Amino acid sequence: MVKTARGGGTSTGHALVLGAGIGGLCAARVLSEVFDRVTIVERDAFADSGVGVGVGVGGGGGAVRRGVPQGAHVHSLTVRGANVLEEFFPGFVDELAAEGATLVTALSEVDIVFFGSLLHKVPLGTVLQAGRPFLEDRLRAKVCAAPNVRVLDGREAIAPLASPDRTRVTGAGVARPGAPDTAEDIEADLVVDAMGRAGRGAAWLRTLGYDKPVEQRMRVDVAYASRRYRLPPDALGPDRALLVGATPARPRGLVLTQQERDLWVLSLYGFGSADHPPTAPDEFLSFARELAPFEVGETLRRAEPVTGVAAFAYPHALRRHFQRLRRLPDGLISTGDAICSLNPIYGAGMTVAALEAAALRDCLGAGTRDLPRRFYRSAAKALHLSWLFATLADRSMPQVPGTHPALAALLAKSFRATMAAAATDAKVAAAVWNAVSLTGSPAGLAHPRVVAATLRHWPRRAADDN
């Protein structure tokens, strides 16, 4: 059966999405408007075949999945990301808020300290704060409510299926983990690799006789440690989140956010092994109190922890340049972290995944002809500025290898001066926030007024660089 796509294109009946994370779910939502059937294959097993909501710590949401080891750490959906989800599911953000998620006005309800300066508290839009399991469970329920979407959980993709001339991917073989005798072939007109940064889709290109995309890696050696607490809603006074960023002289950071209901999550991070946060509860709290304002540290000392300390290591940021490939088979695309995995301290991962899904939607509006090439070009444009901002910020840290010390020092001076200006100038604060949250372009930081304010705060002495 052929289904008419928006814009007059046509598409045949079955799309196969490999991976039920944020990127896979957003892609499935888009595909459900174009394809007659969408099947989501997920290695993890869901308690009720992937469509319900599990019970998490304190009743806030589902449990952290094995396939999402970062799920215990701070997650926020930026203004841009929330807007895209609203396009996919009108009313979704308000529904999450009604179920307990926290809606925060940035920057008036958020304390953000970048490079030692507290950004000016100006209202710039709504941020959705919720635990990753809470958000993912409800997003999965929304996607799977469509009558043409089904989930096959407890199965993993093992190999692509292809036409005899290997010019088209025609499906994938799947099996239960560790049980090759359960293998089955699932035919599809489009296969979407949303299996994460391991990049199986890229490896599959090589097995089919195509070049793998060029990989751009930046070693950041960031490690996280997180713990959830039960705190009163006014634990930070009128604020609902605190972010203390790392500096070149102190490569450690802290994020404390109110998430669903009265649960808060505290995530600590550090660049380089010497500054990785500890996981022993007492040492974890001491690490936090070194970074947090005194009154916040005292609040945490008296708080009720509801989980243990979870750890997560992030060795390098990664981008795969699929858009540069000259030859691509039809019927296979990669998305989400399989294309771009940003240093998570910038909180842009879920938003980038949503933007890639929006790019896929727009490409499908013109049909499926030459879809992989068109999608990769569109996705590259969607994520380019976020990658640029994140990598420049990373390069300002001397603990990140591969950057000439003079360039790292120049970037650090630039960021420090910009943030000092953002502490008192609402326009500069807005430009910084728009760049970080992907609400606008980092080019806003080059506005003459922003540049002039930055130059006024440029360090005059070497001692000012620390």
Side-chain angles (χ1 to χ4, degrees):
M1 178 178 179
V2 175
K3 192 170 185 177
T4 302
R6 293 177 305 170
T10 59
S11 164
T12 48
H14 186 210
L16 180 62
V17 178
L18 307 176
I22 301 297
L25 292 172
C26 288
R29 168 65 181 89
V30 167
L31 295 169
S32 69
E33 291 190 351
V34 177
F35 289 82
D36 295 309
R37 294 182 297 122
V38 178
T39 301
I40 305 172
V41 172
E42 171 53 50
R43 192 180 195 278
D44 288 337
F46 301 125
D48 53 357
S49 299
V51 297
V53 178
V55 177
V57 176
V64 175
R65 292 198 290 114
R66 178 176 296 183
V68 189
Q70 71 274 28
H73 306 278
V74 163
H75 283 73
S76 291
L77 195 63
T78 68
V79 176
R80 183 79 179 278
N83 288 343
V84 174
L85 288 190
E86 276 291 303
E87 293 176 12
F88 295 160
F89 306 101
F92 184 53
V93 171
D94 286 341
E95 290 176 19
L96 290 176
E99 292 190 47
T102 300
L103 298 183
V104 175
T105 301
L107 299 165
S108 57
E109 294 183 301
V110 181
D111 272 357
I112 298 182
V113 181
F114 281 157
F115 280 78
S117 296
L118 174 64
L119 300 194
H120 188 69
K121 295 175 78 67
V122 55
L124 294 173
T126 301
V127 176
L128 173 70
Q129 294 180 176
R132 172 64 178 264
F134 179 96
L135 175 61
E136 190 176 285
D137 281 0
R138 284 150 181 81
L139 182 60
R140 187 170 66 249
K142 279 286 188 182
V143 172
C144 294
N148 61 336
V149 176
R150 67 164 181 158
V151 171
L152 291 178
D153 64 334
R155 295 170 177 83
E156 62 180 342
I158 53 178
L161 306 177
S163 60
D165 61 3
R166 298 195 170 190
T167 60
R168 170 174 287 278
V169 171
T170 60
V174 304
R176 295 194 178 278
D181 57 316
T182 64
E184 61 176 310
D185 291 342
I186 301 179
E187 295 185 351
D189 303 285
L190 177 66
V191 177
V192 177
D193 160 33
M195 294 180 284
R197 58 183 282 139
R200 295 194 203 175
W204 285 356
L205 289 177
R206 177 65 60 84
T207 67
L208 294 171
Y210 296 82
D211 291 334
K212 292 178 65 176
V214 171
E215 291 188 351
Q216 186 177 357
R217 294 174 180 252
M218 173 176 284
R219 182 163 181 81
V220 293
D221 190 18
V222 166
Y224 277 81
S226 297
R227 195 173 201 185
R228 300 188 94 187
Y229 294 85
R230 196 179 309 281
L231 294 172
D234 61 351
L236 297 183
D239 293 327
R240 298 291 175 263
L242 167 66
L243 189 158
V244 180
T247 69
R250 191 213 60 216
R252 300 179 175 189
L254 171 153
V255 186
L256 175 64
T257 66
Q258 182 183 4
Q259 302 213 308
E260 48 273 16
R261 302 184 178 92
D262 60 346
L263 293 178
W264 294 63
V265 61
L266 171 64
S267 286
L268 310 176
Y269 68 86
F271 286 87
S273 58
D275 289 283
H276 287 173
T279 56
D282 290 345
E283 296 176 6
F284 174 85
L285 185 57
S286 295
F287 189 105
R289 295 183 70 185
E290 291 176 3
L291 298 169
F294 175 79
E295 60 276 12
V296 175
E298 286 298 291
T299 297
L300 290 171
R301 184 178 61 82
R302 296 189 300 265
E304 174 195 355
V306 294
T307 69
V309 179
F312 176 64
Y314 186 89
H316 57 264
L318 170 67
R319 184 177 179 188
R320 293 187 175 93
H321 291 277
F322 287 93
Q323 79 280 6
R324 298 178 183 173
L325 292 174
R326 295 184 178 181
R327 296 174 57 246
L328 287 163
D330 289 326
L332 174 66
I333 63 173
S334 295
T335 191
D337 281 357
I339 296 180
C340 181
S341 175
L342 296 166
N343 185 339
I345 70 172
Y346 306 112
M350 294 193 298
T351 295
V352 168
L355 290 175
E356 289 175 7
L360 177 60
R361 174 198 58 196
D362 295 342
C363 290
L364 286 168
T368 58
R369 183 180 178 83
D370 198 30
L371 178 63
R373 188 176 311 280
R374 291 188 292 113
F375 167 69
Y376 288 134
R377 289 174 178 173
S378 182
K381 292 179 181 178
L383 64 86
H384 173 70
L385 291 177
S386 57
W387 172 264
L388 177 63
F389 180 87
T391 53
L392 286 176
D394 285 337
R395 288 186 184 280
S396 72
M397 305 295 293
Q399 295 78 13
V400 173
T403 303
H404 192 282
L407 175 58
L410 178 63
L411 289 170
K413 286 182 180 181
S414 178
F415 277 111
R416 182 176 292 279
T418 300
M419 302 314 163
T424 57
D425 190 313
K427 187 173 182 63
V428 181
V432 170
W433 174 252
N434 288 339
V436 172
S437 68
L438 309 184
T439 307
S441 168
L445 294 171
H447 188 278
R449 175 174 164 180
V450 175
V451 172
T454 297
L455 291 176
R456 286 196 296 271
H457 289 83
W458 195 265
R460 306 302 180 189
R461 299 176 295 113
D464 295 334
D465 297 344
N466 295 323

